[in-house]
Amino acid sequence: MKKLFKFVVLAWALMLPFAAMAQAESKTTIKVGNDADSPNIGWTITAEEEGDGIYVVTFDGAIKEGFHGYPLTDFSAPIIEFENATVAGEMFETLTPEEHGIDELTGEPSFIYCGQAIYVQKIEAKAGQQVAGFINATICTNETNQCTANIVEFAIQMPGVAEVEAADDASSASALDWSSIITAILWGFAALLTPCVFPMVPMTVSFFVKGSQTPAQGRLRALIYGIFIVALYVLPIAVIMSLTIFGIDVSGDIFNFIGTHWIPNLIFFLIFMVFAASFFGAFEITLPSSLVNKSDAGADKGGLVGIFFMALTLVLVSFSCTGPIVGNVIIEATSGSTNIWMPIITMAAFAIAFALPFTLLAWFPALLKNLPKSGGWLNSVKVVLGFIEIALGLKFLMTADQTMHWGLLDRETYLAIWIVTFSLLGLYLLGKLRFAHDDEVKHVSVFRLSLAIAVFSFVVYLIPGMWGAPLNAVSGYIPPMSTQDYRVSGHHENVNTGRKYADFLHLPHQLEGHFDFEEAVAAAQKQNKPIFVDVTGHACNNCREMETMVWSNDQVLPMLRNDFVICALYVDDMTKVEGGKRLGSINSKFAQDRWGVNAQPGYILLSPDGETVLAGPRGYNTDIEAFVAFLQKGKDGVR
């Protein structure tokens, strides 16, 4: 019981950082002033959420010694204006001003603030919105009453995560990436069929059944065993994420770095290729035997400690098979994501799916009799995973190639590798291709034949893509159409030649547009058209799917072509532009500061002058009718 108590206390302690983080995110603070434009007063501005879209903005002014300011009742009171938010109610003060003689004009007592003045204003805003404005504070000397205007601009982000418009699709409004979660669950079940894990099922289940005095005790021990497996996968990720509390940012910027920078993507590509070679039997990837032996020895102890070490032994022994799967789960959860919880939730989904069979089989041990015996089929599963690792790993090389403009993987080259890879997989399933550790396939089972048919059908589906077919089903996982060298309709020239950054950035479907916001605003004002801002990225799978499945629609494409000035802001492009800064970093900060958009895709419709938001931000949603209505809202705003 004492050991269980220690474990509970440890788990509780690990969760404290997340509670603190949730509390910290309810308030944002900035400091402005104390500069050439506002030399006599500095401001600490704080925004807190009150509820129902109302935020309380507090302006805490630190007045320079020897100077004073004025309360709101005085004609010299500070002027505080908000440029992109509506005030809710009157501004008020929280401090009591000092009496300072008689006002010569009114004959009434005069009041001032010395040292500090605090003004509070409630506003209507959205979570994550960047609210901008200015403060004009009249500050006077105490001795001569000589006054100066202290003017300072501010921009403060409202606490909370920016909501992205997603029409009527409630699931799209969720901050969770359900596709990653479902993929993690499927990988968790698939891991059970690997040669490192499957043979341990009957061994571990029988351990709990035989080592228990009653069936009920065996089930309880098996349940605790499953909980320990989940904890061993999830807690390390939770600890890493909790580093945010200690000033190490592992949220948006790190996720963007993991998802788009060429260095981690190239490393991921090499790791996937190494694991694929291991799955094919070139070598075995194992942890040091001393580590596994120590864990196995700990499993001989009784009680909770013994169960914990049994779980640890399973995790360590299965590493050579689950390592690439776990890596893929983490990478998919962090690539391009801004939700700090996604890696934790996704890993929990994988771990629960991975541990569930062990728990259920221990709960119903009679099911063990129906499991197939370990044999050569397990090695076949491992080889199949090897082919899948090649296909998945290629995506990371593609991301590095796109962000750095190396030109290594155009669309045809990428598809050619996929076509060959899956063709070889089909031949392997039919027994026409064998590896060193494979048994001879004397006959093809119905199951293997069904898999082979599915694989070859996929290959046939890919082949037209070599000549420019859109391939909607995989559009988010292959290079964009702009990298296609040849299409049946002929080679397409860049219609945006001569525009800023158009020499290395492109728009889909031969659309005309711009890649610089100021240039787009100038064009929109000249044509009196609304601006369609596309916050996008080279590594954004959902962006490619939207372009292929929604933008290409017969209702949508003419509207984009004729009724809007398109401005595509790539937030992950690594090209260095003016001032030596990366274009992606400039666009990412601009989109977040201006519209609170920190995820891709993000669509915003603006007035021709670029100041008024007509509709959006809107995120990933393949509902075509809703997207048409979204565009129509922007058109109507300019009439």
Side-chain angles (χ1 to χ4, degrees):
M1 182 60 68
K2 183 183 292 185
K3 294 175 181 177
L4 177 61
F5 175 75
K6 290 181 178 179
F7 174 76
V8 172
V9 171
L10 176 61
W12 176 77
L14 288 173
M15 292 303 295
L16 280 179
F18 300 102
M21 178 173 59
Q23 183 178 4
E25 290 179 345
S26 65
K27 180 168 63 175
T28 55
T29 302
I30 63 169
K31 292 182 180 295
V32 295
N34 286 330
D35 53 19
D37 295 323
S38 181
N40 300 322
I41 186 171
W43 298 93
T44 299
I45 307 175
T46 302
E48 295 184 85
E49 184 178 8
E50 184 178 82
D52 297 327
I54 302 297
Y55 291 81
V56 180
V57 184
T58 302
F59 299 86
D60 188 343
I63 303 172
K64 188 177 179 180
E65 185 176 356
F67 291 80
H68 62 264
Y70 295 92
L72 294 174
T73 54
D74 196 285
F75 71 93
S76 296
I79 300 173
I80 300 177
E81 297 286 348
F82 296 88
E83 296 177 356
N84 58 340
T86 303
V87 298
E90 298 293 331
M91 184 178 294
F92 60 92
E93 303 159 283
T94 62
L95 299 180
T96 303
E98 305 174 14
E99 187 171 342
H100 185 63
I102 302 298
D103 191 301
E104 296 179 357
L105 296 178
T106 64
E108 299 292 333
S110 175
F111 295 91
I112 62 172
Y113 285 117
C114 292
Q116 185 182 27
I118 300 178
Y119 310 93
V120 181
Q121 177 67 66
K122 295 183 180 181
I123 63 172
E124 297 178 7
K126 296 180 180 179
Q129 179 182 345
Q130 193 84 2
V131 173
F134 70 89
I135 310 170
N136 185 350
T138 299
I139 305 297
C140 306
T141 60
N142 291 339
E143 295 183 359
T144 63
N145 208 41
Q146 183 178 355
C147 301
T148 58
N150 289 250
I151 303 174
V152 63
E153 295 181 349
F154 66 87
I156 182 170
Q157 186 173 0
M158 298 298 101
V161 179
E163 295 182 3
V164 180
E165 179 184 334
D168 296 326
D169 186 357
S171 64
S172 297
S174 172
L176 299 180
D177 183 355
W178 285 103
S179 63
S180 294
I181 294 173
I182 294 173
T183 302
I185 293 173
L186 295 176
W187 274 120
F189 288 129
L192 178 69
L193 300 177
T194 58
C196 316
V197 179
F198 188 82
M200 298 190 68
V201 175
M203 179 181 66
T204 54
V205 171
S206 60
F207 169 84
F208 289 108
V209 174
K210 293 179 181 179
S212 305
Q213 297 177 356
T214 64
Q217 186 186 37
R219 292 169 183 173
L220 177 61
R221 285 158 57 87
L223 180 62
I224 295 174
Y225 177 63
I227 293 174
F228 278 137
I229 294 174
V230 173
L232 286 169
Y233 277 111
V234 174
L235 287 180
I237 302 300
V239 171
I240 293 173
M241 294 295 102
S242 69
L243 293 177
T244 303
I245 305 303
F246 303 102
I248 303 176
D249 184 9
V250 293
S251 54
D253 291 340
I254 294 299
F255 290 172
N256 188 59
F257 178 83
I258 292 174
T260 62
H261 199 280
W262 69 271
I263 294 178
N265 276 281
L266 201 57
I267 292 174
F268 295 149
F269 167 72
L270 294 175
I271 290 174
F272 270 62
M273 294 306 104
V274 169
F275 273 108
S278 174
F279 282 177
F280 290 147
F283 48 82
E284 289 292 331
I285 300 177
T286 58
L287 290 177
S289 58
S290 59
L291 181 62
V292 178
N293 291 338
K294 289 180 180 178
S295 175
D296 192 40
D300 294 333
K301 300 180 180 179
L304 292 176
V305 174
I307 297 175
F308 171 79
F309 277 102
M310 276 294 296
L312 181 60
T313 301
L314 171 66
V315 172
L316 294 177
V317 169
S318 63
F319 170 78
S320 60
C321 289
T322 60
I325 296 176
V326 171
N328 185 65
V329 168
I330 296 175
I331 293 165
E332 285 299 318
T334 56
S335 295
S337 174
T338 57
N339 187 344
I340 192 173
W341 301 103
M342 271 309 299
I344 302 173
I345 296 171
T346 308
M347 183 54 64
F350 166 83
I352 291 171
F354 179 70
L356 187 61
F358 290 92
T359 305
L360 290 179
L361 289 170
W363 201 278
F364 306 103
L367 295 176
L368 279 174
K369 298 178 182 179
N370 299 323
L371 288 180
K373 302 298 182 182
S374 300
W377 68 273
L378 278 178
N379 190 69
S380 297
V381 171
K382 196 173 182 180
V383 171
V384 170
L385 288 176
F387 282 110
I388 295 175
E389 288 290 313
I390 291 178
L392 291 176
L394 203 62
K395 175 182 177 295
F396 300 106
L397 180 60
M398 176 196 73
T399 299
D401 181 57
Q402 290 290 308
T403 56
M404 296 302 295
H405 307 291
W406 291 333
L408 298 176
L409 280 179
D410 57 18
R411 197 167 181 267
E412 294 99 326
T413 303
Y414 192 98
L415 287 175
I417 297 175
W418 265 29
I419 289 170
V420 171
T421 299
F422 285 104
S423 296
L424 291 175
L425 173 56
L427 292 174
Y428 176 80
L429 291 170
L430 293 175
K432 303 301 181 182
L433 180 67
R434 290 174 56 192
F435 290 87
H437 303 295
D438 282 327
D439 296 332
E440 182 180 357
V441 179
K442 296 181 180 180
H443 66 276
V444 178
S445 66
V446 174
F447 180 70
R448 289 181 73 124
L449 178 62
S450 300
L451 289 179
I453 292 174
V455 169
F456 279 120
S457 298
F458 182 61
V459 170
V460 173
Y461 172 78
L462 292 176
I463 290 174
M466 297 288 290
W467 290 273
L471 304 181
N472 290 356
V474 294
S475 58
Y477 301 92
I478 60 178
M481 191 69 75
S482 60
T483 65
Q484 184 93 12
D485 290 331
Y486 175 77
R487 307 176 205 179
V488 173
S489 56
H491 183 73
H492 289 254
E493 299 294 334
N494 184 0
V495 297
N496 297 309
T497 300
R499 293 173 179 171
K500 200 170 185 180
Y501 310 133
D503 53 331
F504 58 89
L505 297 178
H506 305 273
L507 284 171
H509 312 301
Q510 292 293 99
L511 285 167
E512 291 190 34
H514 304 266
F515 308 98
D516 176 76
F517 184 72
E518 297 300 329
E519 189 177 77
V521 169
Q525 289 179 317
K526 183 177 181 180
Q527 301 174 43
N528 193 33
K529 290 181 179 180
I531 304 172
F532 176 86
V533 178
D534 173 25
V535 182
T536 185
H538 297 294
C540 174
N541 297 340
N542 289 340
C543 301
R544 303 293 85 77
E545 289 186 11
M546 286 292 294
E547 293 164 3
T548 305
M549 301 170 64
V550 179
W551 289 29
S552 61
N553 181 265
D554 292 339
Q555 298 180 71
V556 175
L557 190 57
M559 295 179 73
L560 291 175
R561 195 181 303 279
N562 303 317
D563 301 326
F564 294 89
V565 171
I566 300 175
C567 178
L569 300 178
Y570 280 82
V571 298
D572 59 3
D573 194 273
M574 296 297 167
T575 305
K576 290 186 177 181
V577 292
E578 296 86 349
K581 294 183 178 180
R582 301 187 188 277
L583 178 61
S585 299
I586 296 173
N587 287 337
S588 178
K589 186 177 187 306
F590 181 78
Q592 187 165 350
D593 291 348
R594 191 71 174 259
W595 307 295
V597 174
N598 55 5
Q600 302 84 52
Y603 304 120
I604 309 100
L605 303 183
L606 304 175
S607 58
D609 60 4
E611 296 296 330
T612 304
V613 176
L614 304 176
R618 178 182 177 83
Y620 173 77
N621 188 326
T622 56
D623 186 335
I624 293 175
E625 291 185 2
F627 198 81
V628 171
F630 169 71
L631 295 179
Q632 189 63 47
K633 187 176 180 181
K635 287 179 59 179
D636 294 342
V638 179
R639 291 177 181 176

